[in-house]
Amino acid sequence: MLKFVVRRLALFCVALIVLSLLVFACLRILPGNVAAVMAGTNSTPERIAALSEQLGLNRSYPAQYFQWIGDLLHGNLGTSVLTGRSTMAETWQRAQVTLPLIVLGLLLSLVIGIPLGVVASSHREGGLHSVLRYVSLTAGAVPALWGGLLLILVFGRGVGLIGIFPSQGFPEDGWSSPASALVSLALPALSVGIISGAQMMRYTQSALDGIAESGYITMAMASGSTRARAIRTTGLRIVLPDLISVTGLSFAQMITGVLVIENLFSLPGLASMLVTDVGNRDLIKVQSELMLLAAFFLLIGLLTDIAHRVADPRMRGVGAESVAPAQEVSA
Amino acid sequence: MKGFRSRLRRALSKIGGTFGYIWHRGEGRFALIVLGIWLLVCIVAAFWTPESLDTSDGYNTWASPSPAHPLGTDGTGRDMLSWLMAGSGTELQIVVATCMLAALIGIVFISFTLARSALASEIAVVVTDTLLSIPIVLIALILAVPLGASLTVIIIACGVSYGLNLARIAKPQAVLAANSRYVEAARAAGSSRGRAFFRHVLPNVIPVMSVQLSICAGTAILAEAGLTYLGIGVPAGTASWGASLSASASFISIFPLTVVWPGALITIVVVALNLFGDSLRRAVDPVVNSQLRAAAEEVERGSGK
């Protein structure tokens, strides 16, 4: 176990370094130099020179790279050239909207997906099975934007048929009034959760179907439990490691939908910050933000792999190579 | 030349048989019909759309469906039907390019995992396992900085992500084939590692890959819609389903009907692609398809194993 963790940590570090190089390179292969792009098309040569002096862009690439990495390691993500605000502070403030949204969406998707997956797997023939199959197939194929719009049309306050949830914005004072903050996240989290839940249901069902013919379920049934009960107790425990891996990956896969939904509901989260900064070509800020987010997702991947390992006692004696379940992709 | 032709004929008849199998089930037929209509519309829209894309009917913005505009118009009075038809071509380009890139990356990584050098296979595993936890939208944002909003951003971001996933899913199959008797025999008969890979390992992986690719095609369409809405996908002025959806999204509360069409269209096509993938799996996967399984057992017995 320890060997596995150490090896996985080493991988994590290597991946971080490779990613930082990638992000750095992508921001340097722009036509023209970074300072000229940031200063805008109408700027004078003196302004460009001053800006590149200020940002240290007139130094060699390796020098710039190591300066940037050194700053990152000291927790210094720089300040935005356009607004003068600290990148770290702004990212943290924005993440307070995005992270709860992701977590709520993920919880909803588990609450929706796993029970329905169990039901679908317990009823392998007949009407209920096909109804669930088509529902999950359709719900998983809905673009996040459209799903959010439909929910607004049904539940949005002021516009919807049953207007009970606000469809725009987030309380000014953030989480200091938790109730209204939660309510304003209800529809966004539901949009993300239903779509992701449909996929979670398909994973759960196919994982459970995969072990249905195995000796585990037969053994449990021989010990006196019904088929449904055997799947609920024994089956779920056996596929738990796979479900953990899938949940970890959904975390990364949901994020496109989350960013779209944030924009749709005008939530002041990471989406609007990233899109605005990429649009404004506030490049030094974008560089740090993207790196921070990438590191965050790598960390989630690391934690998922370790949790998978802990949840699967069969893996304890096995060598260090990673085992992950075969997995379908999603946007 | 003759050998090539007969091989081509065999391959074509095999593909024909697979499609026949898919057509025989209701789900598969639905998928094939929807995908067929999509291709047909692409061809038609390349030459003709009911209204020219540049025409905008300024007196009829946000119009409801009418004989002149069967699906209504958007905020600048452009004909929704014409834009959706034109968008199907863009969508097809994205899907085909993404799948090709994903297949290429998948095959390269699979060949790396099977490589003789432990270092190469180690690197392949490390790259797939770690990069998989990076979301598509983040890759797209990184690419959008130098490239701006463009089809290339969508294609590379999705292609890389799906390609790595493909490599991971197809790996067990590839390893199984690479360690099989027939590869051993081919190697003993003097064929090179590369030749053995392309002639014997790859054909074993292709069924798994094509199933996975048809699902990737669906998710690529969904990703296009999302990335375009975020402003890092299809550039302004290019017709695409995601662009039509995004354009109508901001006025949802005033003109709810307009937003129905692009969203429903995307959902139907993605469902069709997923059903196609499921049917294809049923047709080519011996674990699911009992006929194939029987045939495989026949061969096993015949080889006196």
Short mmCIF file of all heavy atoms in Angstrom, two decimals, chain A residues 13-52:
data_model
loop_
_atom_site.label_atom_id
_atom_site.label_comp_id
_atom_site.label_asym_id
_atom_site.label_seq_id
_atom_site.Cartn_x
_atom_site.Cartn_y
_atom_site.Cartn_z
N CYS A 13 3.69 14.24 -9.16
CA CYS A 13 4.66 15.31 -9.32
C CYS A 13 5.13 15.43 -10.77
O CYS A 13 5.20 16.54 -11.32
CB CYS A 13 5.86 15.07 -8.40
SG CYS A 13 5.41 15.13 -6.67
N VAL A 14 5.42 14.28 -11.39
CA VAL A 14 5.85 14.31 -12.79
C VAL A 14 4.78 14.95 -13.66
O VAL A 14 5.05 15.82 -14.49
CB VAL A 14 6.16 12.87 -13.29
CG1 VAL A 14 6.42 12.88 -14.78
CG2 VAL A 14 7.33 12.30 -12.54
N ALA A 15 3.52 14.54 -13.41
CA ALA A 15 2.42 15.08 -14.21
C ALA A 15 2.30 16.59 -14.02
O ALA A 15 2.07 17.33 -14.98
CB ALA A 15 1.11 14.40 -13.82
N LEU A 16 2.50 17.05 -12.79
CA LEU A 16 2.43 18.49 -12.52
C LEU A 16 3.48 19.24 -13.33
O LEU A 16 3.20 20.28 -13.94
CB LEU A 16 2.67 18.77 -11.03
CG LEU A 16 1.45 18.78 -10.13
CD1 LEU A 16 1.84 19.20 -8.74
CD2 LEU A 16 0.39 19.72 -10.69
N ILE A 17 4.71 18.70 -13.34
CA ILE A 17 5.79 19.37 -14.06
C ILE A 17 5.48 19.42 -15.55
O ILE A 17 5.58 20.47 -16.20
CB ILE A 17 7.13 18.65 -13.79
CG1 ILE A 17 7.49 18.80 -12.31
CG2 ILE A 17 8.23 19.22 -14.67
CD1 ILE A 17 8.66 17.96 -11.88
N VAL A 18 5.05 18.27 -16.10
CA VAL A 18 4.73 18.22 -17.53
C VAL A 18 3.63 19.22 -17.86
O VAL A 18 3.71 19.98 -18.83
CB VAL A 18 4.30 16.80 -17.94
CG1 VAL A 18 3.79 16.78 -19.36
CG2 VAL A 18 5.45 15.84 -17.77
N LEU A 19 2.59 19.27 -17.01
CA LEU A 19 1.48 20.19 -17.24
C LEU A 19 1.93 21.63 -17.21
O LEU A 19 1.53 22.44 -18.05
CB LEU A 19 0.43 19.98 -16.17
CG LEU A 19 -0.75 19.14 -16.59
CD1 LEU A 19 -1.66 18.93 -15.42
CD2 LEU A 19 -1.49 19.83 -17.72
N SER A 20 2.79 21.95 -16.24
CA SER A 20 3.24 23.34 -16.13
C SER A 20 4.00 23.74 -17.39
O SER A 20 3.81 24.84 -17.91
CB SER A 20 4.10 23.53 -14.89
OG SER A 20 5.32 22.84 -15.04
N LEU A 21 4.81 22.80 -17.92
CA LEU A 21 5.54 23.09 -19.16
C LEU A 21 4.55 23.32 -20.30
O LEU A 21 4.72 24.23 -21.12
CB LEU A 21 6.47 21.93 -19.51
CG LEU A 21 7.76 21.87 -18.70
CD1 LEU A 21 8.49 20.57 -18.94
CD2 LEU A 21 8.66 23.05 -19.08
N LEU A 22 3.51 22.48 -20.33
CA LEU A 22 2.52 22.56 -21.40
C LEU A 22 1.79 23.90 -21.37
O LEU A 22 1.64 24.58 -22.39
CB LEU A 22 1.53 21.41 -21.21
CG LEU A 22 0.89 20.84 -22.46
CD1 LEU A 22 1.92 20.14 -23.29
CD2 LEU A 22 -0.22 19.89 -22.08
N VAL A 23 1.33 24.28 -20.17
CA VAL A 23 0.60 25.54 -20.02
C VAL A 23 1.51 26.70 -20.40
O VAL A 23 1.13 27.59 -21.16
CB VAL A 23 0.10 25.70 -18.57
CG1 VAL A 23 -0.46 27.09 -18.35
CG2 VAL A 23 -0.95 24.67 -18.25
N PHE A 24 2.74 26.65 -19.90
CA PHE A 24 3.70 27.72 -20.18
C PHE A 24 3.93 27.84 -21.69
O PHE A 24 3.89 28.93 -22.26
CB PHE A 24 5.02 27.41 -19.46
CG PHE A 24 6.04 28.49 -19.57
CD1 PHE A 24 5.99 29.59 -18.72
CD2 PHE A 24 7.05 28.43 -20.51
CE1 PHE A 24 6.94 30.60 -18.81
CE2 PHE A 24 7.99 29.43 -20.61
CZ PHE A 24 7.94 30.52 -19.75
N ALA A 25 4.11 26.68 -22.35
CA ALA A 25 4.40 26.69 -23.79
C ALA A 25 3.21 27.23 -24.58
O ALA A 25 3.37 28.03 -25.49
CB ALA A 25 4.76 25.29 -24.26
N CYS A 26 1.99 26.79 -24.20
CA CYS A 26 0.81 27.22 -24.94
C CYS A 26 0.66 28.73 -24.91
O CYS A 26 0.16 29.34 -25.85
CB CYS A 26 -0.45 26.58 -24.36
SG CYS A 26 -0.84 25.03 -25.12
N LEU A 27 1.06 29.36 -23.80
CA LEU A 27 0.92 30.80 -23.69
C LEU A 27 2.07 31.54 -24.35
O LEU A 27 2.03 32.76 -24.45
CB LEU A 27 0.78 31.20 -22.22
CG LEU A 27 -0.64 30.93 -21.75
CD1 LEU A 27 -0.69 29.93 -20.67
CD2 LEU A 27 -1.34 32.20 -21.43
N ARG A 28 3.12 30.81 -24.77
CA ARG A 28 4.25 31.48 -25.41
C ARG A 28 4.26 31.30 -26.92
O ARG A 28 5.03 31.94 -27.60
CB ARG A 28 5.58 30.95 -24.84
CG ARG A 28 5.82 31.28 -23.36
CD ARG A 28 5.85 32.77 -23.11
NE ARG A 28 6.09 33.11 -21.72
CZ ARG A 28 5.16 33.05 -20.77
NH1 ARG A 28 3.95 32.65 -21.06
NH2 ARG A 28 5.46 33.38 -19.53
N ILE A 29 3.41 30.38 -27.46
CA ILE A 29 3.44 30.20 -28.91
C ILE A 29 2.46 31.13 -29.61
O ILE A 29 2.15 30.96 -30.77
CB ILE A 29 3.13 28.74 -29.32
CG1 ILE A 29 1.81 28.28 -28.73
CG2 ILE A 29 4.25 27.81 -28.93
CD1 ILE A 29 1.34 26.94 -29.26
N LEU A 30 1.98 32.12 -28.88
CA LEU A 30 1.12 33.12 -29.51
C LEU A 30 1.88 33.84 -30.59
O LEU A 30 3.08 34.08 -30.46
CB LEU A 30 0.72 34.16 -28.47
CG LEU A 30 -0.33 33.80 -27.48
CD1 LEU A 30 -0.30 34.78 -26.35
CD2 LEU A 30 -1.66 33.82 -28.17
N PRO A 31 1.17 34.22 -31.66
CA PRO A 31 1.82 35.11 -32.63
C PRO A 31 2.10 36.45 -31.94
O PRO A 31 1.26 36.96 -31.22
CB PRO A 31 0.77 35.25 -33.74
CG PRO A 31 -0.51 34.80 -33.14
CD PRO A 31 -0.18 33.87 -32.03
N GLY A 32 3.29 36.95 -32.13
CA GLY A 32 3.66 38.20 -31.44
C GLY A 32 4.05 37.87 -30.03
O GLY A 32 3.92 36.73 -29.59
N ASN A 33 4.55 38.82 -29.27
CA ASN A 33 4.93 38.45 -27.91
C ASN A 33 3.82 38.76 -26.92
O ASN A 33 2.88 39.51 -27.21
CB ASN A 33 6.27 39.08 -27.52
CG ASN A 33 6.15 40.56 -27.30
OD1 ASN A 33 5.33 41.00 -26.51
ND2 ASN A 33 6.95 41.33 -28.02
N VAL A 34 3.92 38.14 -25.76
CA VAL A 34 2.85 38.20 -24.78
C VAL A 34 2.52 39.64 -24.39
O VAL A 34 1.36 40.03 -24.32
CB VAL A 34 3.25 37.37 -23.53
CG1 VAL A 34 2.18 37.46 -22.47
CG2 VAL A 34 3.48 35.93 -23.92
N ALA A 35 3.56 40.43 -24.18
CA ALA A 35 3.34 41.82 -23.75
C ALA A 35 2.55 42.60 -24.79
O ALA A 35 1.63 43.35 -24.45
CB ALA A 35 4.68 42.49 -23.47
N ALA A 36 2.87 42.37 -26.08
CA ALA A 36 2.17 43.11 -27.13
C ALA A 36 0.70 42.71 -27.16
O ALA A 36 -0.19 43.55 -27.32
CB ALA A 36 2.81 42.83 -28.48
N VAL A 37 0.44 41.42 -26.99
CA VAL A 37 -0.94 40.96 -26.98
C VAL A 37 -1.70 41.56 -25.81
O VAL A 37 -2.82 42.04 -25.94
CB VAL A 37 -0.98 39.42 -26.90
CG1 VAL A 37 -2.41 38.94 -26.71
CG2 VAL A 37 -0.40 38.81 -28.15
N MET A 38 -1.04 41.58 -24.63
CA MET A 38 -1.73 42.06 -23.44
C MET A 38 -1.95 43.56 -23.48
O MET A 38 -2.95 44.06 -22.99
CB MET A 38 -0.93 41.69 -22.19
CG MET A 38 -0.98 40.20 -21.91
SD MET A 38 -0.01 39.74 -20.50
CE MET A 38 -0.94 40.49 -19.20
N ALA A 39 -1.00 44.27 -24.07
CA ALA A 39 -1.12 45.72 -24.08
C ALA A 39 -2.21 46.18 -25.05
O ALA A 39 -2.72 47.28 -24.96
CB ALA A 39 0.21 46.35 -24.45
N GLY A 40 -2.55 45.30 -26.01
CA GLY A 40 -3.60 45.67 -26.96
C GLY A 40 -3.01 46.15 -28.26
O GLY A 40 -1.81 46.43 -28.37
N THR A 41 -3.90 46.24 -29.28
CA THR A 41 -3.41 46.53 -30.63
C THR A 41 -2.99 47.98 -30.82
O THR A 41 -2.19 48.30 -31.68
CB THR A 41 -4.49 46.20 -31.67
OG1 THR A 41 -5.75 46.56 -31.11
CG2 THR A 41 -4.47 44.74 -32.03
N ASN A 42 -3.52 48.89 -30.01
CA ASN A 42 -3.24 50.31 -30.24
C ASN A 42 -2.12 50.85 -29.38
O ASN A 42 -1.93 52.06 -29.27
CB ASN A 42 -4.50 51.14 -29.96
CG ASN A 42 -5.61 50.78 -30.91
OD1 ASN A 42 -5.34 50.46 -32.07
ND2 ASN A 42 -6.83 50.79 -30.43
N SER A 43 -1.40 49.96 -28.70
CA SER A 43 -0.43 50.47 -27.74
C SER A 43 0.88 50.90 -28.42
O SER A 43 1.25 50.40 -29.48
CB SER A 43 -0.14 49.39 -26.70
OG SER A 43 0.31 48.25 -27.37
N THR A 44 1.56 51.81 -27.78
CA THR A 44 2.82 52.30 -28.31
C THR A 44 3.94 51.32 -27.96
O THR A 44 3.81 50.54 -27.01
CB THR A 44 3.17 53.65 -27.66
OG1 THR A 44 3.24 53.43 -26.24
CG2 THR A 44 2.13 54.69 -27.96
N PRO A 45 5.03 51.32 -28.71
CA PRO A 45 6.16 50.44 -28.39
C PRO A 45 6.67 50.67 -26.97
O PRO A 45 7.06 49.71 -26.30
CB PRO A 45 7.22 50.85 -29.42
CG PRO A 45 6.46 51.43 -30.55
CD PRO A 45 5.23 52.06 -29.96
N GLU A 46 6.63 51.95 -26.48
CA GLU A 46 7.12 52.22 -25.13
C GLU A 46 6.27 51.49 -24.10
O GLU A 46 6.76 50.92 -23.13
CB GLU A 46 7.08 53.73 -24.81
CG GLU A 46 8.05 54.59 -25.61
CD GLU A 46 7.55 54.85 -27.02
OE1 GLU A 46 6.34 55.14 -27.18
OE2 GLU A 46 8.36 54.77 -27.97
N ARG A 47 4.95 51.51 -24.32
CA ARG A 47 4.02 50.87 -23.39
C ARG A 47 4.32 49.36 -23.35
O ARG A 47 4.34 48.74 -22.29
CB ARG A 47 2.59 51.13 -23.87
CG ARG A 47 1.51 50.32 -23.18
CD ARG A 47 0.99 51.01 -21.92
NE ARG A 47 0.05 50.13 -21.22
CZ ARG A 47 0.34 49.44 -20.12
NH1 ARG A 47 1.54 49.53 -19.58
NH2 ARG A 47 -0.57 48.68 -19.55
N ILE A 48 4.53 48.76 -24.54
CA ILE A 48 4.82 47.33 -24.60
C ILE A 48 6.11 47.03 -23.85
O ILE A 48 6.18 46.08 -23.07
CB ILE A 48 4.94 46.88 -26.08
CG1 ILE A 48 3.57 47.03 -26.75
CG2 ILE A 48 5.43 45.45 -26.17
CD1 ILE A 48 3.57 46.74 -28.22
N ALA A 49 7.14 47.88 -24.09
CA ALA A 49 8.43 47.65 -23.43
C ALA A 49 8.27 47.75 -21.92
O ALA A 49 8.79 46.92 -21.17
CB ALA A 49 9.45 48.67 -23.92
N ALA A 50 7.48 48.75 -21.47
CA ALA A 50 7.28 48.94 -20.03
C ALA A 50 6.57 47.73 -19.43
O ALA A 50 6.93 47.24 -18.35
CB ALA A 50 6.47 50.20 -19.77
N LEU A 51 5.56 47.23 -20.17
CA LEU A 51 4.79 46.11 -19.67
C LEU A 51 5.65 44.85 -19.58
O LEU A 51 5.59 44.11 -18.60
CB LEU A 51 3.59 45.85 -20.59
CG LEU A 51 2.50 44.95 -20.01
CD1 LEU A 51 1.89 45.55 -18.78
CD2 LEU A 51 1.43 44.67 -21.06
N SER A 52 6.48 44.63 -20.62
CA SER A 52 7.28 43.40 -20.57
C SER A 52 8.34 43.52 -19.49
O SER A 52 8.71 42.53 -18.86
CB SER A 52 7.90 43.06 -21.93
OG SER A 52 8.44 44.18 -22.52
#
